Amino acid sequence: MDQTRCNHGEPCPGRRMSRRTTLRAAGIAAASVVVTGLGRQPAAARDATPEAGALPDLTGVAPLPLTGEHLATFEAHVATTLAALGVPGASVAVVQGGEVAFLKGFGVREVDHPAPVTADTLLRIGSVTKSFSSMLVGTLVDAGRLDWDAPLVELLPDFAVADPALTPQLTVRDAFCACSGLPRRDLEFQLQAHDLTPERVVESMEQLSLTAPFGEKYQYNNQLVAVGGYAAAVADGGAPDELEHAYAVALRERVLNPIGMPRTTLFLSDVVDGNDYATPHAANLDGSPLPLPLLLDDEWIAPVAPTGALWSSAREMTRYIQTELRRGIAPDGVRVVSAENLELTWQPGVAMNFGPETPAMFAATSSHYGLGWVVGTYGGQRLVSHTGGTYGFNSLVAFLPDADLGLVVLTNRDGRGGMLASAIEFRLFELLFDQPAMIESLLETIISAAAAGRSDLLAHLGQVDVAAVTPYLGSYANPDLGAMTLAERGGKLIFSTGASRSELRPRLDAAGAVADYVFVDPPWGTNPPKMQVTLEKADDGTPRVVLTAHADPGEADLVYPYELIEAATPAP
């Protein structure tokens, strides 16, 4: 594939070779519990608990009931961990033996407000939506309206990828496998979401680079999952030029209504009208959770709805878990999807490799990707799970099909919310399989290491030199991310794109010189930073702003150069 060159002479992919971004920089959480929870942590946290890699063989072992002392211990763990991690609120459910064994809300819907999170409070479930989309496909296969191996281009003629030979070979099944060769490209729809529609997302797939051979490498691409959901909607009779409506109708009629999930919705208007929802939160640089505007979380996910747009409650999600554990039969006895097509989504596909530093217990839980599900084991027990994270929410659904045990955790904080969900999951398994309590000590180590990292960043932040940044103020554009404005307001440097903006502050090196600029305002401003900005001059002296985003493990960081369109007019 062709490459262009950046002005400074380094390789600089153009539209078809746009750089890899990290989902966790600003959006849908990575699929793996290991990545979003406790696995990808500082070395100090990993090395402190070598016993975390050891589990006995629990194959065929029936879990203990979540009653009595175990129930009290579990509930106390949720409450204390929520407080320790600074997560405003969470809603938790456990399904065991076909029944709801635990269902409770914790904390508040918004910091500094008394309204509690309950079992009925709606929170965004993020990438857990993927499994709803793959279940939708299964229902259509059952109905004879679709085949897992139907080419995507036959359903969506405007769909193509950068390799013309691969385009006709990609199927509906491939849209969910995380094995297509398309890497993560989240910033490329997040920062341009205000200009995107589902139809434009489908058309834009040809602009994304293919960075691995098909079927050989786990790579999490949200746009392709969205394409798979939209293709399913068209197969169900939806109009190709009304994909948002078509998908919503198909999902409602084929999945949500049959399961009995009337309040679960793709639409923010439904959420607000119901008046029982949680506010999203993200941390500022000192780690304190701050509420985010609902529209900020909603705008960027709408064009790729099948990959992460659903809102739900813990109560309604118990019905989803019951349907999964009952092999496609809803709690009231309605057959939603055949056991064959449901279990097909659970089958391990491409291997997920998080590196040798990941404790064996965590790596085992997320060893392979299925079709909208992460597949692994806990002590040999088959485990199916998925996390979900958006701007200010984190969720987890996990179940052991052979033990008839399932868990739902919905939270209203990104980052730490995912850590909370993973800690709840592993503590539940420890209790019910009578295993030593390891997760709490590991969590303490992680919290301590994170606090030290936050302090280090804060100690190296400086103040903006207005004279130094003035030559860089103006309007910019990047072919993959769209328009951006760099402005100075009251001595602060402001980076704005679409409906989002954040202050930038300089990070200083050991000599006190500016190394780069980091985002301050959530959700872009994270500690440690997931993105940073540098100001530089091209060979001809033209100002350029470069955004670098950290990539998934084993991948090169993305480098997005913004070229100057119009310099700012000096103030009189």
Side-chain angles (χ1 to χ4, degrees):
M1 288 176 280
D2 294 336
Q3 281 190 328
T4 59
R5 309 290 288 185
C6 284
N7 290 342
H8 49 42
E10 294 298 319
C12 176
R15 283 184 177 270
R16 289 179 181 267
M17 290 294 293
S18 50
R19 278 69 50 198
R20 185 175 289 102
T21 186
T22 174
L23 188 73
R24 284 158 53 89
I28 304 173
S32 167
V33 172
V34 173
V35 173
T36 59
L38 302 173
R40 206 168 89 187
Q41 298 297 336
R46 297 192 303 262
D47 299 342
T49 55
E51 71 274 15
L55 275 177
D57 185 5
L58 301 172
T59 305
V61 175
L64 300 168
L66 186 62
T67 56
E69 184 178 346
H70 287 134
L71 177 61
T73 301
F74 177 72
E75 184 173 344
H77 170 75
V78 176
T80 57
T81 308
L82 181 98
L85 290 173
V87 177
S91 194
V92 181
V94 177
V95 172
Q96 187 172 25
E99 302 297 327
V100 179
F102 184 84
L103 181 62
K104 186 174 181 179
F106 298 81
V108 295
R109 300 180 210 170
E110 183 175 335
V111 292
D112 299 326
H113 289 76
V117 171
T118 73
D120 294 304
T121 300
L122 292 177
L123 301 96
R124 179 155 263 151
I125 67 173
S127 285
V128 176
T129 305
K130 291 176 172 64
S131 64
F132 283 81
S133 293
S134 62
M135 180 184 282
L136 171 62
V137 173
T139 69
L140 292 167
V141 174
D142 289 335
R145 301 185 69 95
L146 184 60
D147 190 284
W148 284 104
D149 295 319
L152 290 166
V153 72
E154 290 186 3
L155 295 159
L156 298 169
D158 291 331
F159 169 76
V161 294
D163 180 359
L166 181 61
T167 296
Q169 299 177 34
L170 287 174
T171 67
V172 173
R173 183 196 308 263
D174 300 333
F176 297 94
C177 73
C179 67
S180 66
L182 285 166
R184 198 185 302 277
R185 287 288 188 271
D186 295 341
L187 287 183
E188 297 180 21
F189 67 84
Q190 290 170 344
L191 299 190
Q192 299 194 85
H194 56 288
D195 292 327
L196 288 178
T197 63
E199 292 76 22
R200 287 193 61 189
V201 169
V202 173
E203 295 168 1
S204 71
M205 296 299 294
E206 191 175 9
Q207 300 174 10
L208 304 182
S209 59
L210 291 156
T211 57
F214 174 82
E216 294 187 9
K217 184 178 181 179
Y218 166 75
Q219 291 178 301
Y220 194 79
N221 182 272
N222 283 293
Q223 293 95 317
L224 188 59
V225 177
V227 169
Y230 293 137
V234 171
D236 198 32
D241 58 350
E242 295 182 1
L243 295 177
E244 178 182 25
H245 176 72
Y247 175 74
V249 169
L251 189 69
R252 173 62 59 193
E253 294 182 351
R254 297 276 180 181
V255 177
L256 298 179
N257 284 350
I259 293 177
M261 305 177 74
R263 296 179 64 235
T264 300
T265 181
L266 296 164
F267 300 113
L268 181 58
S269 58
D270 294 340
V271 174
V272 173
D273 287 347
N275 200 32
D276 185 1
Y277 59 88
T279 298
H281 295 78
N284 60 13
L285 294 187
D286 70 8
S288 301
L290 298 178
L292 300 176
L294 283 173
L295 285 174
L296 177 64
D297 180 66
D298 191 69
E299 180 187 58
W300 66 271
I301 197 66
V304 291
T307 202
L310 275 175
W311 293 74
S312 192
S313 68
R315 188 182 304 279
E316 291 202 352
M317 288 298 294
T318 62
R319 299 183 66 84
Y320 184 58
I321 290 291
Q322 288 171 317
T323 303
E324 293 280 349
L325 290 173
R326 295 176 181 184
R327 271 58 172 185
I329 299 176
D332 58 4
V334 173
R335 167 67 71 180
V336 181
V337 61
S338 67
E340 177 185 7
N341 277 311
L342 182 66
E343 294 208 34
L344 180 66
T345 67
W346 304 349
Q347 296 306 303
V350 66
M352 300 173 67
N353 181 12
F354 296 105
E357 74 280 0
T358 302
M361 181 176 71
F362 300 133
T365 63
S366 305
S367 59
H368 293 78
Y369 203 79
L371 299 178
W373 285 111
V374 173
V375 184
T377 59
Y378 179 83
Q381 289 269 3
R382 182 168 54 152
L383 173 63
V384 182
S385 67
H386 214 292
T387 60
T390 61
Y391 284 156
F393 292 105
N394 251 291
S395 66
L396 166 68
V397 169
F399 55 94
L400 303 170
D402 304 319
D404 203 9
L405 176 66
L407 170 71
V408 175
V409 182
L410 309 180
T411 80
N412 60 344
R413 177 171 173 174
D414 66 7
R416 288 290 184 94
M419 193 180 295
L420 171 67
S422 293
I424 292 172
E425 176 192 22
F426 284 104
R427 189 67 186 121
L428 176 69
F429 293 164
E430 288 172 352
L431 288 168
L432 300 193
F433 287 99
D434 197 23
Q435 296 302 301
M438 297 185 292
I439 202 67
E440 290 180 337
S441 60
L442 177 59
L443 190 63
E444 290 175 0
T445 305
I446 292 168
I447 292 173
S448 177
R454 285 197 303 273
S455 297
D456 181 70
L457 174 64
L458 293 173
H460 287 86
L461 288 184
Q463 298 298 321
V464 169
D465 181 341
V466 174
V469 302
T470 294
Y472 295 91
L473 304 180
S475 301
Y476 291 79
N478 174 274
D480 301 311
L481 304 185
M484 181 273 291
T485 299
L486 197 65
E488 182 265 325
R489 298 284 186 271
K492 295 181 178 181
L493 187 61
I494 308 297
F495 182 106
S496 303
T497 178
S500 304
R501 65 185 60 203
S502 175
E503 178 187 353
L504 293 173
R505 286 187 62 186
R507 178 165 47 180
L508 308 180
D509 61 21
V514 175
D516 54 29
Y517 293 80
V518 298
F519 292 94
V520 171
D521 301 313
W524 295 354
T526 59
N527 190 347
K530 301 294 192 301
M531 300 187 292
Q532 58 264 356
V533 168
T534 55
L535 308 180
E536 60 184 51
K537 293 289 184 68
D539 292 340
D540 63 0
T542 303
R544 180 168 51 215
V545 177
V546 180
L547 172 65
T548 300
H550 299 299
D552 287 342
E555 304 286 350
D557 288 347
L558 293 94
V559 180
Y560 293 99
Y562 281 92
E563 305 297 340
L564 182 67
I565 302 300
E566 183 178 2
T569 302

